[in-house]
Amino acid sequence: MTKPDIIIGIDAGTSVLKAVAFSLEGHQLAISSVKNDYNVSAEGAATQSMPKTWQDCVRALCDLSDQIERLDNRTAAIGVTAQGDGTWLLDSKQEPFTGAWLWLDARAAKTVEQLTRSEAERERFHDTGTGLNTCQQGSQLAHMKTHAPELIETASVALHCKDWLYFNLTGALATDPSEASFTFGDFRNRQYSPRVIEALGLSSHRSLLPEIIDGTKLTHPLSNDAAQQCGLRAGTPVSLGFVDMIMTALGAGVYTGDEGVGCSTVGSTGVHMTAKHAENVLLNSDHTGYVICLPHQNLVAQTQTNMAATLNIDWILQIGADLVAEFVDRPSQKDMIARLETWLSSSSPGALLYHPYISDAGERGPFLNPYAKANFTGLAWGHRYPDLVRAVVEGLGMAARDCYAAMGEMPQELRLTGGATKSDVFRKILSAAVGAPVRVSEREEAGAAGCAMMAAVSIGAYPDMKACIDQWVVPLLTKPDKPDEQLSQTYQKLYAAYAETREGLAGPWTILGELARQKAAP
C-alpha cells in the first residue's frame, strides 16, 4: 500500500482558489488554480456564490489529482485557509440561502460609524485588539440585524470562507481561533467574549457563532461525499487553518524565533505584521489594526492592513491601457506589467505623493475611514505617466511605513511575500520606505504552505510548529538586502508629508462620501 507522503494546502483567495501539494518535508510538488469571481453593486455590495466556491474547490482538488499519480492514497492530510472577514450564512438545513458577503462589501459603513461611537467600543477593542470596520463579520451581522433582518433571522450559523469549505470537506461546523478572537473574542484566551458580542448588539444571535477549534490539535476526517467528489480518500485528516493573512505570513517567515522581524504581504491588500507574545501587545489609542492569534502558544501577530495594495497598481496600469486603446489596439495587462519596471526606473524618487486608498470600502490601516480616497499631491506640468506610476508604488511603501509606525518600533528586518515583491525596484522602494533590510520568501504559495504546515503538525509529522518552520520556512528566506541610504533619506521626508497630508484629508473625504451617497440614493 502507498505510504501517505503528501500534504495538500487549500487557499481560497478573493480572486483565485488554489490547491497545492507539498511533500512532508515542505517541497512544493504541484499546484492547481481556479479563478474566482464575485459580484459588486453601486450600493457597495460585494458577494460571492457559496455553492460555486465549493465547486471551485472540488475542481481544484480534482485537477491536482490529475497531476499527481495516486494522490488519494498518498495524501496524509489536508489543510484549508481562505480570504478573511466576510459573512457566509447557512440556514436551518445547513444550506446557503444568500450570497456570501465578502470583506470587500461596504454596506455596513453607517453601522460601523454608529458602533464605534458607542460606550461599549472601548471594551470591545480591549478584548479583540482589532479596530471595527465594514469588512468584518461582526459589523456585517450587526448591519443585517437592522437593515436586512430576514437574513440574520433565517441563518442558523455564520461562517467564514475557510469554515464553509471545511464544512463541505468534513461536515463539521467550526471556526478557528484567529478569526473568532479578532471578530468576537479575546485574543488573550482565544475564546468568544460575551462583552464583545454584546457591544456589537448580537447577544440574541450568539447561537450563530460556531465552535472554535485549533487545527494543529484537532482534525476532522474527510467525509465520504467530499472524498467522492474530490477524488481523495475518505477519512483523510482535514485541518482547519487560521485566516489566510496569518497562514501567508507563517509560510513567509513572520515567526522564526528572531527578534524585530516585520512581515509584509503585498497582494490585493497590504498586510503588515509583527509577532509578539500576547502580554506584550500595546493597543493604539486610535482603535485600529488587528491582533490575530498565531498557531503558536501565546503568540499573536499585531497587524495593520491596507484595504488596497496592488489594486492601486492595477488601477494606474488600467488608466494607461485605457488611454492607449483610444488610438491603437489595447495593450493587455501582461503587456502593461512588463513595462512597470522600466517606468519605475525612469522616474525620480519622491517626485509626487500618492495615498493608496483606492478601495471603495475606504481605509482600515493604520486609521479607520470608510470614506478615504486615493489622491495625488504635488502634480506639476512636467510630470508624466512614469511619475504617476512611481508615485503609486511609493505610496504603497509609505502605507507600509505608516502601518509599522502605528504598531510601535519599526522592524529591524522586513520579510516580504506577494506578487509585487518579485520586482527588484519595488523591493528597494519598500526597503527604503521602512528603513530595514529586506528578505524575500522563495516560497511560491505561502498561504497554502501555512495551512499545510498546520496539517503536518496535527498528524504528528512534526512535534510542534517551530520544528515545522525550521524545515519549511527558514531555508527559503533569501539573504537580507540593505536599504539604499540616500533613498531612505528621501522617503523619510516624503513620509512626513504623507502623514501630514492624510490627516488633513478627512474632511474632504467625508464631503465626497456624502455626495456619492446622494447620487446613489433612489
Side-chain angles (χ1 to χ4, degrees), residues 60 101 114 135 177 195 291 298 307 341 420 489 506 519:
W101 289 33
Q114 295 166 1
C135 62
R195 66 179 184 176
V291 177
N298 200 38
M307 287 295 287
E341 200 91 359
Q489 292 174 6
K519 290 179 181 179

Side-chain angles (χ1 to χ4, degrees), residues 223-485:
S223 71
N224 291 329
D225 181 54
Q228 186 174 11
Q229 291 186 62
C230 302
L232 297 173
R233 176 174 50 86
T236 301
V238 184
S239 168
L240 178 60
F242 285 25
V243 65
D244 63 347
M245 70 172 78
I246 287 295
M247 295 293 86
T248 299
L250 187 72
V254 68
Y255 176 74
T256 55
D258 304 309
E259 296 293 330
V261 170
C263 183
S264 290
T265 302
V266 186
S268 297
T269 61
V271 181
H272 314 286
M273 60 179 65
T274 57
K276 298 180 179 180
H277 290 282
E279 61 269 20
N280 294 333
V281 170
L282 298 176
L283 301 179
N284 68 63
S285 58
D286 292 329
H287 288 197
T288 64
Y290 287 68
V291 177
I292 314 177
C293 297
L294 286 164
H296 298 266
Q297 187 67 28
N298 200 38
L299 280 178
V300 299
Q302 186 153 14
T303 308
Q304 289 282 352
T305 63
N306 305 125
M307 287 295 287
T310 58
L311 290 176
N312 291 274
I313 299 175
D314 293 342
W315 169 77
I316 193 65
L317 296 182
Q318 184 80 16
I319 293 294
D322 288 346
L323 290 174
V324 172
E326 293 286 332
F327 304 99
V328 295
D329 291 341
R330 182 184 188 84
S332 68
Q333 181 76 350
K334 184 178 179 180
D335 292 334
M336 297 296 288
I337 291 173
R339 293 285 301 171
L340 184 60
E341 200 91 359
T342 300
W343 287 324
L344 291 175
S345 300
S346 64
S347 51
S348 300
L352 278 172
L353 186 63
Y354 176 76
H355 291 84
Y357 313 139
I358 204 71
S359 170
D360 288 338
E363 189 51 88
R364 61 186 176 185
F367 65 95
L368 180 63
N369 190 323
Y371 302 118
K373 299 297 180 187
N375 67 279
F376 289 100
T377 301
L379 278 169
W381 169 256
H383 290 132
R384 294 296 181 262
Y385 186 69
D387 298 308
L388 301 181
V389 172
R390 183 170 185 110
V392 167
V393 175
E394 288 179 337
L396 300 185
M398 294 297 103
R401 184 185 180 99
D402 212 19
C403 285
Y404 281 114
M407 293 187 282
E409 296 181 357
M410 299 299 290
Q412 301 170 27
E413 179 178 293
L414 184 62
R415 294 174 181 173
L416 298 176
T417 185
T421 62
K422 295 178 181 178
S423 164
D424 181 60
V425 178
F426 185 74
R427 293 195 303 272
K428 289 180 179 178
I429 288 173
L430 277 181
S431 177
V434 176
V438 161
R439 298 176 75 182
V440 177
S441 170
E442 294 181 334
R443 170 71 68 190
E444 292 181 23
E445 299 296 337
C451 65
M453 290 164 63
M454 287 186 61
V457 172
S458 73
I459 61 172
Y462 293 87
D464 53 38
M465 189 57 70
K466 180 60 171 62
C468 191
I469 288 170
D470 289 341
Q471 177 74 38
W472 283 53
V473 177
V474 175
L476 295 181
L477 291 172
T478 61
K479 293 181 179 180
D481 287 329
K482 294 182 179 180
D484 181 285
E485 291 186 11

Side-chain angles (χ1 to χ4, degrees), residues 19-166:
V20 188
F22 301 93
S23 70
L24 290 177
E25 295 75 29
H27 302 299
Q28 184 171 314
L29 305 176
I31 179 172
S32 173
S33 301
V34 178
K35 190 179 184 300
N36 285 341
D37 53 48
Y38 54 89
N39 300 310
V40 296
S41 73
E43 294 76 30
T47 60
Q48 187 167 316
S49 167
M50 294 175 66
K52 184 178 184 301
T53 302
W54 166 239
Q55 289 306 313
D56 288 345
C57 182
V58 170
R59 179 181 163 191
L61 289 170
C62 289
D63 289 348
L64 196 66
S65 295
D66 292 339
Q67 297 181 51
I68 298 180
E69 190 176 356
R70 302 189 307 279
L71 181 63
D72 53 347
N73 291 323
R74 293 182 62 187
T75 300
I78 302 167
V80 58
T81 187
Q83 55 178 288
D85 293 314
T87 304
W88 299 59
L89 300 176
L90 299 183
D91 62 17
S92 59
K93 296 181 181 180
Q94 298 184 345
E95 295 178 353
F97 61 93
T98 186
W101 289 33
L102 299 187
W103 63 273
L104 291 164
D105 199 294
R107 282 176 285 181
K110 272 293 184 183
T111 299
V112 168
E113 288 182 25
Q114 295 166 1
L115 290 171
T116 52
R117 289 196 298 265
S118 72
E119 294 182 0
E121 169 57 16
R122 183 175 297 275
E123 290 184 343
R124 187 207 63 79
F125 182 71
H126 172 271
D127 286 3
T128 62
T130 299
L132 197 65
N133 56 69
T134 58
C135 62
Q136 293 166 2
Q137 188 178 103
S139 304
Q140 293 178 357
L141 287 177
H143 186 77
M144 289 179 191
K145 181 180 177 182
T146 302
H147 300 280
E150 70 282 359
L151 295 181
I152 200 168
E153 294 299 335
T154 301
S156 66
V157 65
L159 303 175
H160 294 93
C161 182
K162 60 176 170 38
D163 309 335
W164 162 242
L165 296 179
Y166 191 74

